[in-house]
Amino acid sequence: VASDAEVIDIELHRELSEEALMDSLNGQLPEGFKIVNCRQLYWKTASASASIEKFVYSAVLSETDVDLQAQIDKFLDSESVLFSKTKKNRPIEIDLRPDVADISLNSNGLELSLYKGSPFTVLAWLLEIEEQTARQLEVRKTAVVLYNKENR
């Protein structure tokens, strides 16, 4: 998965504004890397990862025989969406539905918003393909959405 969005956790030993921190870090990063957003978390927050509400992925798709809108509607309307996969050489079934916030079509393919889990299992289910085949698709993490202070 390529990524345009990641979370880093930095502990500061002195007060620094979000803008000053971004400017300072951007001055040290290699070419091609840039911090575009910065947010201070409440000091009692367990970790930066505990502040993540969901991840947003974009998947570029070529022609498919599957009616994607129908698959998306079926997925989102279901309480449970079971997916079979092999883990440690044993078949297992996982429920994908609780991990998915939203799925939508866009001009290039799909946008998936996940609370957790892999976009590839969801893509495999939607496209009716093997997970290994889904891993060959062009998928990019486009956003990491943090909880608002009000809903945490």
Side-chain angles (χ1 to χ4, degrees):
V1 173
S3 182
D4 293 330
E6 292 297 330
V7 172
I8 60 172
D9 191 352
I10 299 173
E11 184 175 332
L12 301 176
H13 296 281
R14 65 182 172 92
E15 186 82 18
L16 199 59
S17 74
E18 293 170 356
E19 186 175 306
L21 177 61
M22 280 193 328
D23 289 345
S24 176
L25 290 172
N26 281 330
Q28 303 298 313
L29 291 172
E31 188 174 325
F33 287 84
K34 184 178 181 183
I35 295 174
V36 295
N37 193 355
C38 184
R39 183 167 138 196
Q40 182 177 353
L41 299 177
Y42 181 60
W43 69 275
K44 286 189 177 182
T45 302
S47 68
S49 61
S51 299
I52 298 172
E53 179 181 4
K54 61 187 172 184
F55 303 91
V56 181
Y57 298 89
S58 176
V60 176
L61 301 177
S62 55
E63 298 275 329
T64 179
D65 294 333
V66 176
D67 181 348
L68 277 176
Q69 191 58 60
Q71 283 290 88
I72 292 168
D73 293 342
K74 181 179 174 183
F75 189 102
L76 295 176
D77 291 342
S78 298
E79 287 185 30
S80 178
V81 177
L82 298 179
F83 181 77
S84 299
K85 64 187 281 177
T86 303
K87 190 170 187 175
K88 295 182 182 177
N89 295 323
R90 295 174 51 180
I92 62 167
E93 244 184 22
I94 57 173
D95 186 0
L96 301 176
R97 187 60 188 97
D99 298 343
V100 178
D102 195 25
I103 306 169
S104 60
L105 284 170
N106 62 32
S107 59
N108 294 325
L110 290 171
E111 182 173 281
L112 300 100
S113 297
L114 306 181
Y115 298 118
K116 63 178 182 169
S118 168
F120 298 113
T121 53
V122 177
L123 288 167
W125 188 93
L126 290 169
L127 298 170
E128 299 175 348
I129 58 176
E130 295 293 321
E131 185 178 2
Q132 260 328 101
T133 304
R135 290 186 177 279
Q136 305 306 309
L137 297 171
E138 185 181 334
V139 177
R140 178 175 292 276
K141 187 189 310 174
T142 58
V144 176
V145 179
L146 301 180
Y147 287 106
N148 291 327
K149 295 174 188 172
E150 296 80 37
N151 63 353
R152 194 64 174 137

